[in-house]
Amino acid sequence: IYVSGAFDNGSYSNAYLAKLNNTGTPQWQKQFVSSSASGNLLRITTDGTDMYAGGTQQGDPIWIKFNTSGTVSWYKTNSGGGTVYGLEYNSYSGGRLKTLTSDYPAGLRFYDLTTSGTLASSYFSEKLIDNTTLTGSHFLDNVGGFATSTGGTDPTYNATAYYEYASGYSTPVLYSMRDDGADFWAQEIASTSSNQGIY
């Protein structure tokens, strides 16, 4: 059992990873300490051999590759802001890590990483989030679910999100995007006068 999250040290939080066995006994714990800002790890995925975690540190997205013993292969961050809310491994093209981050107030970012942690491609998706199917003054507040719906050489990613409106309401949104960032659609599934969430 692998767990990710934040460890509160009293003044700010440190991102951490932990492993438990199937009876709940702790096996190891790793902390990633910042002296100036809080960190958190929100998502974990695997390629069948190694593990990957994603989250935020000092307001920027972070990715960590580690093995089942807790040994870290690499630790990457990308300046520009954002929190990793979606993280999936896809075996096509030699193996890729697909990442969805929210970056207030800009919107949504979609990252395409290799398993070595290098940036294969990046799509700044503020324009995608501000799709014409959405109305009003809003920004992305949180990404809920994130899943690959089709595999192969042209996978599609579906996800849920929240929009926070200037009026103070949150409304859930469904969206879908092709791997290269094209063929995007987004659809609100509640009125702007409601206050709902979706995972």
Side-chain angles (χ1 to χ4, degrees):
I1 302 169
Y2 296 91
V3 179
S4 66
F7 180 84
D8 185 358
N9 69 7
S11 57
Y12 51 86
S13 58
N14 301 145
Y16 79 84
L17 292 168
K19 181 181 180 180
L20 313 175
N21 65 15
N22 59 7
T23 63
T25 303
Q27 305 297 294
W28 51 256
Q29 177 178 297
K30 305 283 184 178
Q31 286 181 244
F32 301 88
V33 179
S34 169
S35 60
S36 58
S38 293
N40 198 356
L41 289 172
L42 300 172
R43 296 291 184 266
I44 298 177
T45 190
T46 180
D47 61 12
T49 302
D50 291 307
M51 309 288 291
Y52 305 86
T56 184
Q57 185 74 63
Q58 296 179 309
D60 293 326
I62 57 171
W63 298 268
I64 298 170
K65 181 178 181 178
F66 60 102
N67 63 21
T68 56
S69 299
T71 302
V72 175
S73 299
W74 51 256
Y75 176 100
K76 303 286 184 178
T77 187
N78 191 73
S79 62
T83 298
V84 175
Y85 283 108
L87 181 65
E88 280 217 346
Y89 172 78
N90 193 306
S91 61
Y92 87 102
S93 298
R96 295 286 182 83
L97 295 171
K98 300 300 181 177
T99 302
L100 204 59
T101 72
S102 68
D103 185 9
Y104 171 79
L108 191 71
R109 296 177 192 259
F110 183 73
Y111 292 97
D112 185 8
L113 299 175
T114 69
T115 54
S116 298
T118 59
L119 192 65
S121 59
S122 175
Y123 303 99
F124 180 69
S125 48
E126 179 181 359
K127 292 180 180 178
L128 300 179
I129 285 299
D130 290 334
N131 187 273
T132 55
T133 58
L134 305 174
T135 59
S137 174
H138 57 267
F139 57 85
L140 182 73
D141 187 47
N142 195 347
V143 178
F146 182 59
T148 306
S149 62
T150 57
T153 58
D154 190 21
T156 301
Y157 299 89
N158 297 315
T160 62
Y162 303 82
Y163 285 115
E164 184 75 22
Y165 281 81
S167 59
Y169 291 103
S170 298
T171 185
V173 175
L174 300 176
Y175 63 89
S176 180
M177 182 173 61
R178 203 175 68 187
D179 185 66
D180 61 3
D183 292 344
F184 174 85
W185 60 258
Q187 182 63 54
E188 291 177 276
I189 58 173
S191 71
T192 58
S193 61
S194 67
N195 192 18
Q196 304 291 330
I198 186 170
Y199 284 94

